[in-house]
Amino acid sequence: MVVGGSGVDTIVRVDALHVPSADSYGVPPIEEWAGHTGTGVALGCATLGLTTGFLDFIGNDHQGTLIRERLAGTGVDFWPLISPHGTRRAVNLVGPDGRRTSFYDARDPLDLRMPAEHYLPRLHRARHVHLSITNFARYLYDDIEALGIPVSTDLHDWNGATPHHREFALRSDLVFLSTAGAGERIGAVMQEILRKGRAQAVIATAAAGGAYLLTPDDRTPRLIPPAVPPGPVLDSNGAGDAFTCGFLYGRLEGRDLEECARLGAIAGAHACTARGTHTALIKPDELSYALNSTGAAATIPVTLTTTVPAARTGDQVSRTGA
């Protein structure tokens, strides 16, 4: 069950992410895609054969229609509520190398709540819940814990200090985040999540640098080497969500955490090989083939005094971006 995080991405392709000041620029055709993190996790998990439900608010607007149309026939059971504030959206600048910068419009008011009668019957059917860090989703934690359902979340580019993310960080069993926000402090942030919260694992993605896995058995994060994309890198939109899907797929199959992270790396690399958001969704046979082809890659312990490579500017994402 995925909760929150639907929206629409407007993709603008630019020659460089640091656009110089000017009145106007000519760009290739501007594209609009149903995207954002919740949509990506729901689509990716369904493509991997997991029975997937998706709960969220959307607007009674053009963007909400795009989300409904994108999810139709994909195997995702989508149960939306209509928000008078409209559908979330983002404008993403994408450079020639596929990296992006996202300008995110959350638009949900802080007092938005999902009624318990809408989500509780669906939670009773869930084996695992993935909460996007949309504000209303935090109010589901008590019911999720009372039902004994494991929960994951993606903090995206959290710097370890912003208050909005902290409850999600400390009340989830699996915590994903990017190295982009904390930079050289990412090891310390991962340790704090593990020490103060209930996480069984913290996973930090580092774009082309791979990912870092920290569990209670580790003294320092383990480096998970990056996977080789099966084609040219065209667009990194949705790569982080794809990583989460690959990891959750492995976890729900009972695989060990290190192998789950390798599956995530493979899925994330695969997502970068098509233009648009959530357009290259990996299938189970492709994931298994890639895992078996790479073999058991060695992992490298990383001390907390070691600089963990941060993603470049183009990898920085919005609060609920990929």
Side-chain angles (χ1 to χ4, degrees):
M1 179 68 67
V2 179
V3 180
S6 65
V8 167
D9 292 328
T10 299
I11 308 296
V12 183
R13 302 193 182 278
V14 294
D15 293 333
L17 291 177
H18 295 285
V19 180
S21 177
D23 181 68
S24 64
Y25 283 95
V27 296
I30 294 173
E31 303 159 335
E32 198 170 41
W33 301 85
H36 292 213
T37 184
T39 308
V41 175
L43 286 169
C45 287
T47 302
L48 285 169
L50 299 174
T51 303
T52 305
F54 187 16
L55 295 165
D56 202 7
F57 289 93
I58 60 172
N60 186 19
D61 48 26
H62 167 67
Q63 289 76 18
T65 299
L66 287 180
I67 294 168
R68 290 180 185 271
E69 290 176 347
R70 177 66 182 91
L71 293 172
T74 62
V76 176
D77 290 326
F78 186 39
W79 299 294
L81 291 174
I82 297 300
S83 169
H85 307 283
T87 303
R88 305 173 203 99
R89 54 201 74 174
V91 175
N92 298 339
L93 303 185
V94 180
D97 62 355
R99 298 181 184 275
R100 68 97 184 260
T101 296
S102 180
F103 301 87
Y104 178 62
D105 167 14
R107 77 178 47 224
D108 291 341
L110 291 178
D111 62 355
L112 183 68
R113 300 287 185 274
M114 181 169 283
E117 59 267 24
H118 186 71
Y119 67 78
L120 269 179
R122 278 95 188 198
L123 285 185
H124 280 281
R125 298 164 50 191
R127 181 181 170 199
H128 182 93
V129 177
H130 182 78
L131 291 184
S132 303
I133 56 172
T134 46
N135 190 61
F136 79 85
R138 73 174 71 248
Y139 297 98
L140 276 66
Y141 269 113
D142 287 345
D143 288 319
I144 293 169
E145 290 180 9
L147 292 170
I149 307 170
V151 59
S152 56
T153 195
D154 190 340
L155 308 178
H156 304 290
D157 57 346
W158 189 40
N159 60 9
T162 309
H164 173 88
H165 303 67
R166 186 164 297 277
E167 182 173 11
F168 293 93
L170 301 184
R171 298 189 70 180
S172 297
D173 300 287
L174 296 173
V175 177
F176 300 89
L177 74 163
S178 163
T179 62
E184 295 181 7
R185 295 181 51 255
I186 189 64
V189 171
M190 295 171 73
Q191 288 279 20
E192 181 183 10
I193 293 170
L194 205 64
R195 184 176 67 255
K196 295 184 177 180
R198 55 177 290 170
Q200 300 168 1
V202 182
I203 307 96
T205 57
Y212 296 88
L213 170 67
L214 185 68
T215 76
D217 296 329
D218 299 315
R219 295 185 60 187
T220 58
R222 285 177 268 169
L223 173 64
I224 305 298
V228 178
V233 173
L234 300 178
D235 195 332
S236 64
N237 283 295
D241 301 324
F243 184 103
T244 297
C245 294
F247 192 103
L248 293 179
Y249 172 79
R251 188 64 171 164
L252 292 170
E253 279 204 329
R255 304 193 188 207
D256 65 63
L257 291 166
E258 187 173 300
E259 188 165 282
C260 291
R262 291 173 54 216
L263 290 170
I266 292 167
H270 188 277
C272 295
T273 59
R275 294 185 183 274
T277 307
H278 314 316
T279 51
L281 302 171
I282 197 166
K283 299 179 176 64
D285 56 342
E286 296 170 321
L287 193 62
S288 297
Y289 177 81
L291 179 68
N292 294 332
S293 298
T294 57
T299 56
I300 305 168
V302 181
T303 67
L304 294 183
T305 56
T306 299
T307 299
V308 178
R312 288 181 280 178
T313 302
D315 296 318
Q316 294 181 2
V317 295
S318 63
R319 257 191 331 147
T320 57

